[in-house]
Amino acid sequence: MTSSASAEEIAGIGPVSVSVSAATPKLEPSPPKAAETALSMAVPGLPALDLNKTLSIQNEQLGIYRDLLEVLAVSEQESAALFPELSKSLVMHISTINRLKEDLQNVFTRIRALKNHFQHEYPDTFDYVQSLHVEELDDEDEE
């Protein structure tokens, strides 16, 4: 069984015909024919002009995808170059935040210790100050 048009011919690479046998397909040069005839024979029932239009659209899409691939490759290279630097920066920021957390825990522990100390040393004054604070909170809730 022999087909007079192949993917290479349709794509504009050159006229070849493919002979398919039970063993392996062979590519044989075909006699030069008009592109429209070859395309019409490749897909019966479809006019050659529609196939040419489809092929040109597919070639445009292929170009777009190749450009996109290049952009993605450049982006990947830039990301790979920035990753180590950003990783170091992230580790530094995380350690800074952890140190700040420890410092804040230390400060709040001291504040609680001072609060307990003043509560035991001056219970009347402490209760009075606490009641003032509760009244302030109640006033804010009413507004």
Side-chain angles (χ1 to χ4, degrees), residues 64-131:
I64 291 170
Y65 292 140
R66 284 183 178 155
D67 294 342
L68 181 62
L69 181 63
E70 290 174 11
V71 169
L72 289 173
V74 168
S75 175
E76 181 183 7
Q77 289 173 350
E78 290 174 357
S79 296
L82 287 175
F83 182 76
E85 180 182 332
L86 293 176
S87 293
K88 289 178 186 177
S89 177
L90 178 65
V91 168
M92 186 177 69
H93 288 300
I94 289 173
S95 66
T96 301
I97 289 173
N98 287 336
R99 281 185 275 132
L100 286 172
K101 180 183 173 188
E102 291 172 4
D103 290 345
L104 284 173
Q105 286 176 343
N106 186 18
V107 166
F108 286 121
T109 302
R110 288 174 157 182
I111 289 172
R112 279 190 227 97
L114 285 172
K115 183 178 174 182
N116 286 334
H117 171 73
F118 288 133
Q119 187 176 13
H120 292 305
E121 185 134 347
Y122 308 104
D124 295 334
T125 308
F126 190 82
D127 289 338
Y128 175 73
V129 170
Q130 286 294 334
S131 68

